Amino acid sequence: MTDMPAAIARPFPRSFSWLQIVRLGLVQTALGAVVVLMTSTINRVMVVELALPAIVPGALVALHYATQVLRPRWGYGSDIGGRRTPWIVGGMAALCLGGFGAAAATALAASHLAAGLGLAVLSFLLVGMGAGAAGTSLLVLLATGVEAGRRGAAATIVWVMMIAGFAVTAPLAGHFLDPFSGARLVAVSGTVSLIAFAVAVLAVAGIEPRRPEAAAGRAETKPPFRAVLAQVLAEPAARRFTLFIFVSMLAYSAQELILEPYAGLVFAMTPGATTKLAGLQHGGVLAGMLFVAGVTVFIGGPVLGSLKLWTAIGCGLSALALGTIAAGGPIGPDFPLRAAVAGLGFGNGVYAVAAIGSMMALAGRGGEAERGTRMGVWGAAQGVAFGAGGFLGTLAVDLARLVASEPVYAYAAVFAAEGVLFLVALLISLRVEHVTVGRRHNLLTETASFQLNSGFEAR
């Protein structure tokens, strides 16, 4: 093999510049632009215009989450070469192709249902694999390329730009979709996918310097994937944290699809009011994240800087809020549901920021060579649990309604069960390795990355 030019074989920089952080944020803007069409527009067209059962888009979204089990393999692949950029670009290509394919499948289903649904299955598989490959590698790139002192501002930039992808694409796409037709849906989706891919490629071009050939050559001696995965899972701390992520995310996501119907059926809230309720919950999540980040940054120390402490508090607060929501159903309209939902969001935010801070700390224990695989393992547990939680939450409500005299008791039983799951997660978290955050360490980067790699980012 020939020697690489010195200009190319430079070591990885200590920290990304602000411009580079903004460029990485553009990748998340592009990802959000594609995902929002999948979770809102295409879902709506299938149910309303095509009159398909809601379980059809629900099953397709669940399929997208099922592919998250491949995250460890994507992370291992980026570990081998020591470069994350090819996996980000390749993942975005698959994501954009899948998004366009889903629109084409929806249009095709209007005249050829079986063929359209077959294409939709393939398209949602591509979306899941693309998001997993790109998201996992981007998470590792951010974790290794942003120094601790810049992580708070970097997280804010990336997070806001991700949300911008949702906020800008949805109204613009809606404008060009009227008057609606299958051809318009395909054209709009194709345009969004092309622009998103071009933005992502330009954003990461040259941002990650090539490693010296000596480092690249080590890929030839790297153990096979199964050996590395077995090594990661053989560690007690990694296994316990994987179990914690799965159980806690199962509890977190099980209320996603039943909270608004609960508010409508039991508290007689209008669709607009339940939508505002969901916004209140997400506002609580943000408040919880900012609270923990502020305490750990400006106070820190062995007690208030303990991620174990804040993880346990977050799980406990979430369990308490879910129990309160369950108990409030029989009370009826006089129950302060909005306050309880805001409290649930706050507890979820506390849990999320502390759990992801622990994830980032534990991921580096095996060194840079295994960081992607470790991230992939926990990302897989997170994604699968999120997808399963939404489905199991709705299934549990339907089953409970078969034996409950009133819908309120069915919903209350499921919310109470979710609270118990959070208590189980709390007990597991107490056995996870202790990590303490210093005054200058900021957790918001880890939280934003977590949002971008799982069910937090696309409802």
Side-chain angles (χ1 to χ4, degrees), residues 128-199:
M129 290 188 290
T136 299
S137 293
L138 187 68
L139 170 60
V140 178
L141 190 58
L142 280 168
T144 56
V146 178
E147 64 183 17
R150 292 183 171 185
R151 285 177 178 168
T156 302
I157 292 170
V158 172
W159 196 351
V160 168
M161 293 180 73
M162 175 193 70
I163 297 173
F166 299 154
V168 172
T169 304
L172 282 177
H175 172 75
F176 288 106
L177 279 173
D178 288 330
F180 177 80
S181 68
R184 277 181 175 268
L185 177 63
V186 172
V188 169
S189 177
T191 301
V192 170
S193 294
L194 282 175
I195 294 175
F197 181 68
V199 168

Side-chain angles (χ1 to χ4, degrees), residues 11 36 51 53-54 58 89 94 111 156 197 210 226 250 265 307 318 320 327 331 370 379:
V36 72
V89 173
S111 56
T156 302
F197 181 68
R210 295 186 180 276
R226 290 188 178 184
L250 197 64
L265 287 172
L307 299 184
S318 297
L320 177 62
I331 297 177
E370 296 175 6

Side-chain angles (χ1 to χ4, degrees), residues 92-119:
M92 285 300 301
L95 173 66
C96 293
L97 182 60
F100 174 70
T106 304
L108 179 61
S111 56
H112 300 85
L113 182 60
L117 293 180
L119 179 58

Side-chain angles (χ1 to χ4, degrees), residues 400-415:
R401 293 188 69 171
L402 296 177
V403 297
S405 57
E406 297 290 340
V408 59
Y409 298 111
Y411 280 96
V414 176
F415 283 125

